[in-house]
Amino acid sequence: MAIATTNPATGETVQEFDALTEQQLEEKLQRAWDTFQTYRDTTFEQRAGWLRAAADIFDAETDRLAELATLEMGKTFKAAKAEVAKCSLGCRWYADHAAEDLADVEWPKPSGASENARIFTRYQPLGPVLAIMPWNFPYWQVLRFAAPALMAGNVGLLKHASNVPQVAMAIEDVLNRAGFPEGAFQTLLVGSSVIEGIIDDDRVRAVTLTGSEPAGREVGARAGQNVKTSVLELGGSDPFIVMPSVEDLDAVVDAAVSSRMLNNGQSCINAKRFIVHQDVADDFTQKLVQKMEALTIGDPMDENTDLGPMSQGNGVTDLDEQVQDSIKSGARLLTGGERLDRPGNYYPPTVLADIPKDARAYYEELFGPVALVFRAADADEAIRIANDSPFGLGGSAWTTDEDEKMRFATEVESGMVYINKVTESTPEVPFGGAKNSGYGRELASFGPQSFVNAKTIWIQ
């Protein structure tokens, strides 16, 4: 894929960028390594000050930065502004909490230790960390790695998605203007063909990827070959379970549509599989279809737009093929399902029901504005359907029954389960998946602790 800004709302290529030459990449890798030798010795107070300054820039330049995200990947302008604001929140959170998260941990003295012995764990940074990041949340995905990693004393190397180069460069610019030393965070405008070589480089000490399952398998394998720490946040096909005890079905449907349409339907933690108890399935499905059909599709810069374009044309093609193949396999189309005859990468809000197991929609992740409806006879069947997936990122369940709340929380196989609330990513709460959705955790205290050497020290 060319490194370029292509407006998803029009299909127009706005600007193209040259990939780094081999020599330029070498210079950046060496700069990262050299910077780490001194950056690791900066204090938490210094790093926190720079991170708070970055938050101030995000706050002051929200509109400008948000416009870049809308231009490059098509999210609505209001959603882009909310994403930039979350970056500010994340910077301030880690500025306030990372030192505590990385404080020495004292351990009890085992037998044989001297009376004056001190035994503790000290968290020390690893070095340059390569972050391979996706286009769907082009600011937040990066900052939720960068803020805690920088606070831990690591330096960052960003290989961003090739369709968001201006956002990638804007993030580096914000952190540089905030006061971080040159080389503490660098954007690498490179293609995917050089990623293995970067992971192999001895100066790169760890890697994190948010992206597709195939990409995660390749990166995780390469990191493993090099015995390097890796964190993978991959795809998801999150269940959204609805039980008959819910008191306000309309509010639950609103939450369902909001979650499924988040980021124009392009989020790993979108609710994708709506598993509804048979007693309320007909009512829920009817309301879901009505609300999906009422969404306003249009220019993502228009404040009245609910659903903007998908990020890339091949994403529209892939999604439509999944939908059409599933219909041929027996899935029932309730609304949408036909590509829109208009410029840009638009796909209509779509609902499929009665999805057989041999349909692509049953096991694959549908990364776009398509909702899948399943009926369940009881909680047992709802859990069985929820777990009948290779993915296990997040999920939510909606019920007022106390026993059901704990059953869903305990038995749904995923890294996160939210009860009576949609899944979200916020700096205060750990984030990550299970099964084919990846491994490792981000955010909360896991963020700064993900890329450190937890060194045991025994002073006799």
Side-chain angles (χ1 to χ4, degrees), residues 73-76 78-80 82-83 86 135-137 140-141 144 238 254-272 274 292 295 306-311 366-370 422-425 431:
M73 59 73 54
K75 68 170 66 219
T76 63
K78 57 188 174 185
E83 181 179 342
K86 183 179 283 191
W135 45 260
N136 57 338
F137 291 92
W140 173 238
Q141 298 279 15
R144 80 181 191 188
D238 288 6
D254 285 341
V257 173
S258 175
S259 180
R260 188 63 197 94
M261 295 296 105
L262 174 69
N263 210 41
N264 299 337
Q266 302 164 115
S267 170
C268 293
I269 56 170
N270 286 128
K272 297 184 177 79
F274 298 91
M292 293 279 274
L295 295 172
D306 299 311
L307 181 65
M310 293 180 61
S311 177
L366 273 66
F367 210 63
V370 180
V422 297
T423 310
E424 67 174 272
S425 167
F431 185 97

Side-chain angles (χ1 to χ4, degrees), residues 191-226:
S192 58
S193 62
V194 303
I195 290 176
E196 287 188 351
I198 298 174
I199 297 173
D200 292 344
D201 195 292
D202 288 340
R203 292 166 294 189
V204 174
R205 295 300 177 88
V207 59
T208 180
L209 174 140
T210 298
S212 69
E213 179 188 349
R217 290 183 182 276
E218 292 182 10
V219 168
R222 199 73 182 192
Q225 290 173 12
N226 286 277

Side-chain angles (χ1 to χ4, degrees), residues 92-174:
R92 297 185 195 284
W93 172 264
Y94 284 110
D96 291 343
H97 295 278
E100 178 183 354
D101 294 335
L102 295 170
D104 292 349
V105 178
E106 302 284 341
W107 301 108
K109 297 176 187 176
S111 60
S114 68
E115 180 179 351
N116 296 322
R118 183 187 175 201
I119 305 166
F120 61 98
T121 293
R122 174 158 292 173
Y123 296 108
Q124 295 182 316
L126 296 179
V129 181
L130 173 64
I132 305 166
M133 294 288 109
W135 45 260
N136 57 338
F137 291 92
Y139 288 108
W140 173 238
Q141 298 279 15
V142 175
L143 265 296
R144 80 181 191 188
F145 146 75
L150 289 168
M151 281 301 298
N154 297 295
V155 302
L157 293 164
L158 170 63
K159 192 291 178 205
H160 217 325
S162 293
N163 60 324
V164 290
Q166 293 193 59
V167 169
M169 292 185 291
I171 295 170
E172 179 179 349
D173 176 65
V174 168

Side-chain angles (χ1 to χ4, degrees), residues 33 35-43 47 124-127 152-155:
W33 181 249
T35 301
F36 174 64
Q37 306 312 310
T38 53
Y39 182 74
R40 67 196 303 176
D41 295 325
T42 59
T43 66
R47 301 170 202 162
Q124 295 182 316
L126 296 179
N154 297 295
V155 302

